[in-house]
Amino acid sequence: MTSCFGREGLLDQMSDWVQAPAAKVWWLHGIGGIGKTQVARALAARELGQGTAVAWLDGQSVEPSPRGVCEALADALELGDDTPEQTLASMARLRRGALIVFDTFERCRQIDTWLRQTLVPALPAATRLLVASRDAPVPQWALADAPNTLHATTALSALDEAAARRLLSSLCMPEADQAVAFRFTQGHPLALRLAARLTQGSLRHSDRASSLQPVLDALVQMLHAEVADPIVRRALHRTAVVRRVTISLLRALMPGADAHALLDALAALPMCSVAGDGLLIHDVARHALAAHFKAIDPAGYRDARRAAWQALHTESLSASRAELWRYTADLLYLVEAPSVREVFFPSGTEPVAVEPAKLGDEEAVMDIATRHAGPQESALLRRWWHAMPASFRVTRDAHDDVSGFLCAAEWSTLPKALRAGDPLCNAWQQHLQDEPVEAGERVLVLRSKLCASGGEALSATDAALTMDLKRAYVELRPKLRRLYCAVLDEGSLADFFRQAGFRQLPECTITADGRARTSLMLDFGPGSVDGWLSQLVAVSVAEERVPAVRLDAAARELQVDGQRVGLTALEFQLMGHLVRHAGQACKRGDLLDEVWGSRYEGGSNVIDVVIRSLRRKLGVRAACIETVPRFGYRYRAP
């Protein structure tokens, strides 16, 4: 099988594992393009030929939540279940052997613990799980409390020269070119496949690169130069800005072109493959193409991202719940704000296990809290521990010791006694009363997030905890409206808070152990997490001439980052006055005269009520209405 040159022995071992009584999980890992997916596809094809049921899960398109994984399993195995609990029960009753392949698992790291602690134990004895990931498994997969779980871990490396030559021969590369191609690509399978598509002899005069990435960059650019059709070449560049390529996206990115013919032409390229939700350009090649496109045509690069955002945003508004995660992932991919991307897609971090806290973790968690936040804060968190133990999640190191924790919960689940005894909760309660959310909208509170080494400082452990919080975002959407959190030191994440749309709440600042805890609030807006992501992308792709906030006089409504928001008559008049006097401090008395009329004899606090409502409707743009202490308000166009 051409996709497994040099891996035949490994494939035979994996086939034996599927058919024999053995531990349930095989973990395959390695760098991008090294051949993990090819091996997994070869094993799946072999097992299908022997009558084994196969479920293929792609981490690029599966919603990274228990619900998303169970829905994908139910569809692949035709279980017909509606809930995760039903799917797990049906899986346990399967009488025939089955192989589950979870490819690109690094995109779903936040459900690692659920996979290990819930899904795998529920699998019947004859079912096997192959995980293909860039990351090695966290140490907890091999611990004693997970018996019969991990059968083997295999790190794929580059091909040796003999295997590389066999691969190149199958791709019709002349034998005279093969030695040079092997040296140039260092045996990297994707690079070898790209090299085979180049003009014969084009590598002979190239110097051997010092690292793999320049090799891949050079090969991608050579391949791009060899695409003869200028329309296909342009499409290759423009589609490199998106996570996946669909017919509708091609129509948006290449107006006037035959989208179906273009999709076929792109699918024929060696770095492209057709997946369940569209065509995928291998991410190593995609990054190189996008960087090249941005360097040679920055205006075209921005235009392509803008066209993609407009198409994805429009489609996401009518997407079903089952399809929504794909659009969430598409929009996340378009976010280029460096601080936001680093929080959601941390670079260079080793895998860290995050899991629900255990009963015996209490003192380790409180020790971290005392060291980095103080004894008063630790005492408050202990009250949380005893009232809501499920609100704590912890990270563990290679020795299975607690290395960090977060405490987070949905607001409506907090016991009244716990809220009443916590100064932060009291402050957030007051803010929710002043600026309420709509009925049915949900609020998440992050009470604390600390690491044993460094407290709130950025680290691999902190990144893992943040990714776990992203899991909560996904599970609560599309009803999640607001997130409250408090930090001891805003400095290290100031850029992220600003770019992500967090609003500082000075009135909610509290002091404990002699240190101030600054409260921040993120209003996701009426579109919840997906609307917020759409706004983040809109900010980075919008042209200067398109205002982020616009008052539409004809429709008597606001447009906030492309989304229309209805206004009451008072809200429209007050917003209109502020916009007309943008940049100027407006007196309360002037606002009363302008909006309510000179005959109004009520209190001026009526303005505050309308301002709070406007800020709520502005969502992540709420900060554009500034409070001028003891004077009034000022509007600054974002």
Tab-separated table of all heavy atoms in Angstrom, residues 100 286 294-295 610:
chain	number	residue	atom	x	y	z
A	100	ILE	N	-12.188	2.523	16.440
A	100	ILE	CA	-12.427	3.962	16.436
A	100	ILE	C	-11.095	4.651	16.168
A	100	ILE	O	-10.117	4.417	16.892
A	100	ILE	CB	-13.005	4.453	17.778
A	100	ILE	CG1	-14.307	3.722	18.098
A	100	ILE	CG2	-13.224	5.958	17.752
A	100	ILE	CD1	-14.801	3.971	19.515
A	286	ARG	N	-0.355	24.517	4.210
A	286	ARG	CA	-1.260	25.669	4.276
A	286	ARG	C	-0.582	26.863	4.938
A	286	ARG	O	-0.683	28.000	4.462
A	286	ARG	CB	-2.517	25.281	5.048
A	286	ARG	CG	-3.577	26.361	5.145
A	286	ARG	CD	-4.816	25.825	5.810
A	286	ARG	NE	-4.530	25.269	7.121
A	286	ARG	CZ	-5.294	24.370	7.741
A	286	ARG	NH1	-6.365	23.910	7.164
A	286	ARG	NH2	-4.970	23.931	8.934
A	294	LYS	N	0.715	36.221	2.041
A	294	LYS	CA	0.708	37.459	2.820
A	294	LYS	C	1.918	38.326	2.507
A	294	LYS	O	1.831	39.562	2.488
A	294	LYS	CB	0.691	37.113	4.308
A	294	LYS	CG	0.511	38.310	5.233
A	294	LYS	CD	0.386	37.859	6.685
A	294	LYS	CE	0.105	39.043	7.614
A	294	LYS	NZ	-0.049	38.587	9.027
A	295	ALA	N	3.055	37.684	2.221
A	295	ALA	CA	4.284	38.430	1.941
A	295	ALA	C	4.252	39.098	0.565
A	295	ALA	O	4.675	40.248	0.420
A	295	ALA	CB	5.491	37.508	2.050
A	610	VAL	N	-30.717	53.502	30.773
A	610	VAL	CA	-30.669	53.356	29.308
A	610	VAL	C	-29.232	53.085	28.852
A	610	VAL	O	-28.999	52.285	27.936
A	610	VAL	CB	-31.248	54.606	28.618
A	610	VAL	CG1	-31.189	54.450	27.101
A	610	VAL	CG2	-32.687	54.835	29.062
